[in-house]
Amino acid sequence: MRCDLRGKVALVTGAAGAIGSSIARRLSDNGAAVVVADINGEGASQVADGLSNAMACATDIRDTASVDSTIAAIMQRYGRLDILVNNAGVNTLAHRVTIDEFPPEEWDRITGIDLDGLYIMSRAALAPMLGAGKGGRVVNIASVVGLAAMRLQSPFVAAKAGIIHLTRSMAIELGAKGILTNAIAPGSVMTALTAKLFYGEDGKFAGRTQEFLAHVPLGRPAEPQEIAETVLFLASPAASYINGQILAVDGGWTAGYMM
Ligand SMILES: NC(=O)c1ccc[n+]([C@@H]2O[C@H](COP(=O)([O-])OP(=O)(O)OC[C@H]3O[C@@H](n4cnc5c(N)ncnc54)[C@H](O)[C@@H]3O)[C@@H](O)[C@H]2O)c1
């Protein structure tokens, strides 16, 4: 879709990553000034360099001081903030184990970024949005595992479920002030990392991957642009009466059983 986001300032966290960079590009292509925030400052700079009106920020969403300095930098450069996309997130790679064996440090790392970090960033970013009194949009990137659990990734599942209900809580708190909050629950997305870990880099889905994809009516993972397009919609004037909703972008995976 195309929409006119000229004059709007959007902050995207985790924007050096696969989905975040695609979101940053899509918002930029539609006229928004984009703040490309990521703990990977070099990666953020590379993404921002490819956009027409963007600023890179090395931001750790777990760290209140880091987040506050990002918001201060945005206010200094643009004087406003209209759209917050809470996209930064991590999952466990090394510890695919059941809850009774799950290491506490890894639990803290994942929930600390995925859930606490989203709160820390939202709290800081909402201050100028509310202060300006011109409304705004928040789009939280959750996951289908927040709707229906998967095994062997309990902190990720818990954090994403937390994001889903936090989205509803934010929507009812902020809606009267003109700030609309929604979440996207992506299914499986094809990225460099998921290609390496799971899908294979040859574009052919084999073995276990094919078994998994048999449960997805569309028979394929999403492309990052398909998540970015949904963010653009939720940030656009077209979504002016949508608040507190969770939009699964999962090819129908969570719609029912493929028997
Ligand atoms: N890829 C998928 O299949 C999939 C599926 C469902 C949901 N998601 C969600 O989409 C979002 C983006 O995922 P992705 O696949 O692009 O992953 P990615 O690893 O490519 O990108 C995540 C980005 O977050 C950044 N990040 C990590 N910790 C941070 C911190 N403390 N502060 C700021 N930035 C930090 C990383 O540096 C990275 O650039 C995540 O929230 C993820 O949970 C992804």
Side-chain angles (χ1 to χ4, degrees):
M1 69 176 281
R2 303 262 350 143
C3 67
D4 187 2
L5 295 180
R6 281 174 301 175
K8 305 282 187 200
V9 178
L11 164 57
V12 183
T13 68
I19 297 172
S21 57
S22 188
I23 295 169
R25 216 164 292 123
R26 204 75 196 94
L27 294 171
S28 174
D29 286 349
N30 283 272
V34 178
V35 181
V36 179
D38 201 291
I39 197 168
N40 172 2
E42 203 176 306
S45 296
Q46 278 170 16
V47 172
D49 285 349
L51 306 179
S52 56
N53 181 9
M55 174 172 88
C57 289
T59 311
D60 180 354
I61 59 165
R62 286 167 306 188
D63 177 358
T64 307
S66 169
V67 164
D68 285 348
S69 87
T70 293
I71 300 299
I74 295 169
M75 294 315 284
Q76 193 175 18
R77 167 134 176 209
Y78 295 113
R80 61 185 292 157
L81 181 59
D82 305 279
I83 298 161
L84 168 64
V85 185
N86 281 310
N87 163 76
V90 293
N91 197 352
T92 188
L93 297 177
H95 300 281
R96 293 287 181 165
V97 293
T98 52
I99 180 101
D100 50 304
E101 290 179 7
F102 208 90
E105 321 75 55
E106 184 69 343
W107 177 281
D108 288 346
R109 185 182 74 85
I110 293 162
T111 57
I113 296 170
D114 292 2
L115 185 57
D116 301 354
L118 186 143
Y119 149 71
I120 291 167
M121 175 51 87
S122 300
R123 182 176 179 274
L126 284 166
M129 286 165 89
L130 288 166
K134 294 188 181 131
R137 300 290 170 89
V138 180
V139 183
N140 295 327
I141 305 299
S143 163
V144 287
V145 305
L147 296 167
M150 277 181 104
R151 295 181 310 121
L152 311 181
Q153 42 188 303
S154 49
F156 186 70
V157 168
K160 294 299 188 180
I163 290 173
I164 285 172
H165 222 49
L166 177 60
T167 298
R168 297 181 177 123
S169 169
M170 290 168 74
I172 58 175
E173 287 179 359
L174 304 168
K177 291 165 183 156
I179 297 177
L180 312 187
T181 308
N182 294 289
I184 294 171
S188 191
V189 183
M190 178 65 97
T191 67
L193 185 66
T194 58
K196 197 162 147 206
L197 291 176
F198 193 52
Y199 288 116
E201 285 157 300
D202 58 1
K204 294 183 191 138
F205 303 133
R208 222 182 114 232
T209 309
Q210 214 155 35
E211 273 169 43
F212 156 67
L213 287 173
H215 296 278
V216 180
L218 297 194
R220 64 170 179 86
E223 295 296 330
Q225 303 88 281
E226 292 174 306
I227 310 303
E229 193 66 19
T230 314
V231 172
L232 177 66
F233 166 64
L234 290 173
S236 77
S240 55
Y241 203 62
I242 301 179
N243 188 32
Q245 299 308 302
I246 316 303
L247 189 43
V249 182
D250 67 351
W253 185 13
T254 53
Y257 297 102
M258 292 276 283
M259 297 288 280

